[in-house]
Amino acid sequence: MTIPSLQEHFDDKIDRELTIEPKDWMPDDYRKTLIRQISQHAHSEIVGMLPEGNWITRAPSLRRKAVLLAKVQDEAGHGLYLYSAAETLGVSRDDLYNQLHTGKAKYSSIFNYPTLTWADMGAIGWLVDGAAIMNQVPLCRTSYGPYARAMVRVCKEESFHQRQGFEIMLTLSHGSEVQKKMAQDAFNRWWWPSLMMFGPPDAESPHTEQSVRWRIKRQTNDELRQKFVDVTVEQAKVLGLDVPDKDLVWNEERGHFDFGVINWEEFWNVVKGNGPCNRQRLEARKKAWDEGQWVRDAAMANAEKRKERKAAAKAA
């Protein structure tokens, strides 16, 4: 088939809501867009373990410790699923790691903020994972098959994470005055970064329009952000917490909440590597990679020995 006919066949599959599989022909830009998005998603899952990891030993009870540990393990698994999905597009995992460690590849800006109190574990689960679910559920119907299938399990586990965070915030907000203030403080600090998680405004997003056309994304950044605000404001009422936005108001005509102006200068500053914890997060990932070299070497040596034993047994 010629390139025009292949393109026509690809476009037809997209229009008919049929999934694109690894062996199917696809435009180079479609492949590049998927690699960028899936790898950024995978990096975010792996780096996202760091803000919570340092609270595992300081959790207020054994139950909280076990739940948080399980959550961090889930995030590692999500990274694994997503790196595997990216590899089906012809990129190696080592290349993806190298892009992360050199700063060439990005991850979600939200993970460059510090976790100052235990309430931050609740705010991250409720807000950050809540925003992630809002963004990721439509990806279960993304046009690329391996990505869509990976997202089904990821979203099921993220829903658990969101409920875990909400429960922490509910316990704190109905506790002592000190606990209520702690919950409100965490809400105040994580609210705006959570809104930034959906990415820049549609008018300033270079990839959104094409990604929606290819069915990689199902909704735009601004549509998802609005949906998140509408849902989360109602949840805040249940918690008895005040949304830290003086401009928040229900718009009867639109049927949505109007909210204040996001500090996009802060967003771009963090994306460029100048956030509160950018350097700390990247150094932690590099350190883990370097110190884990012996594990990778041992795994490869063991795999080689198994291969040799299998070959010897077959020859005998």
Side-chain angles (χ1 to χ4, degrees):
M1 295 178 71
T2 63
I3 294 298
S5 60
L6 288 170
Q7 180 70 58
E8 184 178 343
H9 180 66
F10 171 84
D11 292 339
D12 180 63
K13 290 191 73 172
I14 293 294
D15 292 340
R16 290 193 294 138
E17 299 283 349
L18 299 176
T19 58
I20 306 299
E21 297 297 338
K23 292 185 179 180
D24 293 340
W25 183 90
M26 64 188 74
D28 287 341
D29 287 344
Y30 178 82
R31 186 185 302 275
K32 290 177 183 177
T33 298
L34 280 169
I35 290 174
R36 176 192 58 78
Q37 180 170 325
I38 297 174
S39 64
Q40 181 175 314
H41 191 167
H43 297 329
S44 299
E45 296 285 356
I46 297 300
V47 177
M49 299 163 64
L50 299 174
E52 297 171 309
N54 68 353
W55 277 97
I56 291 175
T57 58
R58 295 185 287 166
S61 70
L62 182 60
R63 173 176 174 270
R64 296 294 189 193
K65 190 189 301 290
V67 172
L68 184 57
L69 181 59
K71 181 185 177 185
V72 172
Q73 288 178 311
D74 283 348
E75 308 296 359
H78 297 173
L80 175 63
Y81 310 149
L82 293 165
Y83 284 128
S84 297
E87 286 179 309
T88 66
L89 291 160
V91 62
S92 76
R93 196 170 305 192
D94 283 350
D95 284 343
L96 296 177
Y97 287 146
N98 183 62
Q99 290 171 15
L100 171 63
H101 297 157
T102 58
K104 182 179 179 181
K106 304 299 182 184
Y107 55 86
S108 180
S109 60
I110 194 75
F111 299 119
N112 289 310
Y113 290 86
T115 47
L116 306 179
T117 70
W118 171 251
D120 287 29
M121 297 300 97
I124 287 177
W126 172 38
L127 299 174
V128 176
D129 292 319
I133 293 170
M134 201 69 69
N135 189 43
Q136 293 170 10
V137 166
L139 292 176
C140 294
R141 297 185 296 112
T142 191
S143 61
Y144 188 58
Y147 192 19
R149 291 188 287 272
M151 290 312 304
V152 172
R153 178 164 180 173
V154 170
C155 288
K156 287 180 179 179
E157 293 177 349
E158 289 290 1
S159 66
F160 158 74
H161 300 167
Q162 195 271 345
R163 291 195 296 273
Q164 171 251 359
F166 186 84
E167 194 224 352
I168 290 176
M169 295 298 278
L170 186 65
T171 300
L172 292 173
S173 64
H174 288 73
S176 67
E177 284 303 313
V178 172
Q179 289 173 317
K180 292 178 185 177
K181 289 180 180 179
M182 186 187 298
Q184 184 65 58
D185 172 68
F187 188 15
N188 294 346
R189 287 183 288 105
W190 289 95
W191 171 250
W192 293 106
S194 295
L195 297 191
M196 297 177 194
M197 274 184 70
F198 296 96
D202 293 344
E204 299 176 22
S205 177
H207 306 290
T208 292
E209 184 178 353
Q210 183 62 74
S211 291
V212 171
R213 186 178 303 125
W214 277 330
R215 311 288 202 277
I216 293 175
K217 294 181 67 172
R218 291 289 177 162
Q219 292 176 281
T220 70
N221 297 349
D222 288 336
E223 289 171 345
L224 291 167
R225 189 170 9 253
Q226 181 66 70
K227 187 177 180 181
F228 174 75
V229 170
D230 292 345
V231 169
T232 309
V233 168
E234 296 301 327
Q235 292 173 345
K237 293 177 182 177
V238 175
L239 295 174
L241 298 176
D242 298 322
V243 179
D245 181 357
K246 60 182 178 56
D247 297 319
L248 184 75
V249 62
W250 176 254
N251 187 319
E252 192 67 42
E253 184 177 347
R254 291 199 313 120
H256 297 286
F257 281 100
D258 291 335
F259 53 93
V261 178
I262 295 172
N263 185 350
W264 292 114
E265 182 178 349
E266 176 186 334
F267 170 78
W268 289 116
N269 191 47
V270 176
V271 168
K272 291 175 182 177
N274 302 314
C277 298
N278 284 72
R279 293 175 181 80
Q280 177 185 336
R281 299 289 185 247
L282 207 52
E283 287 171 4
R285 286 305 312 151
K286 290 178 183 177
K287 184 173 182 289
W289 176 259
D290 292 340
E291 293 183 353
Q293 182 62 52
W294 71 272
V295 178
R296 297 191 296 278
D297 290 343
M300 291 301 294
N302 182 61
E304 189 62 33
K305 286 182 179 179
R306 289 169 64 90
K307 182 179 179 181
E308 291 174 358
R309 292 194 194 105
K310 187 175 181 180
K314 188 175 182 180

